[in-house]
Amino acid sequence: MLISTKGRYALRVMVDLAEHQGEGFIPLKTIAQRQKISEKYLETIIKLLVKAKLLNGLRGKGGGYQMIRAPEQCTVGEILRLTEESLAPVSCMEAGASACPRAVECRTLPVWQGLDRVISEYLDGITVADLMQRGDAGNDYVI
């Protein structure tokens, strides 16, 4: 599994908006400048987030975007599933995939099922609020 720039940028946008949620609607141009992301590319990502009801958009003067839910209620898994369409490690694990004719005798299926479960549990256990927490780089070593 390889997360695309769309997924990575969507996470950055959500963290940016969460960190500035007290400022009202944030213009797309401002987000693009702060995150050093093309405004044009950001438009496509923002549309996905608005359609999924993660963000609210307001047009015109004083317009922009803001989060609808609290950062604690938005998970990394939810955002990446939206942008990546699938986080499945293999095609037979994708939502809506046809039943594999080899599933009954597949020796590797339990591996993929376990990996899929681990990925989902891990990404669904991290919220945008968690990403807002800044740790000191290099100070995370524990004995």
Side-chain angles (χ1 to χ4, degrees):
M1 169 182 62
L2 186 64
I3 304 299
S4 70
T5 55
K6 188 188 296 183
R8 297 192 324 263
Y9 289 177
L11 289 173
R12 287 171 50 188
V13 166
M14 294 297 287
V15 172
D16 185 285
L17 288 171
E19 290 174 338
H20 295 92
Q21 59 187 334
E23 300 171 23
F25 286 90
I26 308 294
L28 182 67
K29 183 177 184 174
T30 302
I31 300 166
Q33 288 172 343
R34 281 197 296 239
Q35 294 302 315
K36 297 177 178 39
I37 300 171
S38 157
E39 198 171 333
K40 191 76 172 161
Y41 189 49
L42 208 49
E43 285 176 6
T44 62
I45 295 167
I46 291 280
K47 283 179 186 175
L48 285 173
L49 298 171
V50 169
K51 187 176 180 183
K53 300 197 183 326
L54 293 175
L55 300 182
N56 189 17
L58 180 66
R59 294 179 186 244
K61 186 174 174 150
Y65 299 91
Q66 66 181 10
M67 292 181 68
I68 292 176
R69 300 188 327 229
E72 297 81 11
Q73 296 174 329
C74 300
T75 69
V76 170
E78 173 183 24
I79 296 163
L80 291 179
R81 277 186 206 90
L82 174 68
T83 57
E84 303 302 313
E85 297 177 15
S86 175
L87 297 176
V90 291
S91 61
C92 65
M93 298 302 306
E94 290 181 356
S98 301
C100 177
R102 295 187 33 82
V104 173
E105 63 217 24
C106 181
R107 302 282 183 142
T108 61
L109 184 59
V111 172
W112 307 132
Q113 289 170 329
L115 181 57
D116 189 51
R117 186 175 50 255
V118 168
I119 290 169
S120 290
E121 288 173 2
Y122 178 73
L123 295 177
D124 290 337
I126 302 170
T127 67
V128 171
D130 295 328
L131 297 179
M132 293 169 62
Q133 304 300 317
R134 294 182 187 206
D136 294 332
N139 285 338
D140 55 357
Y141 185 72
V142 178
I143 298 179

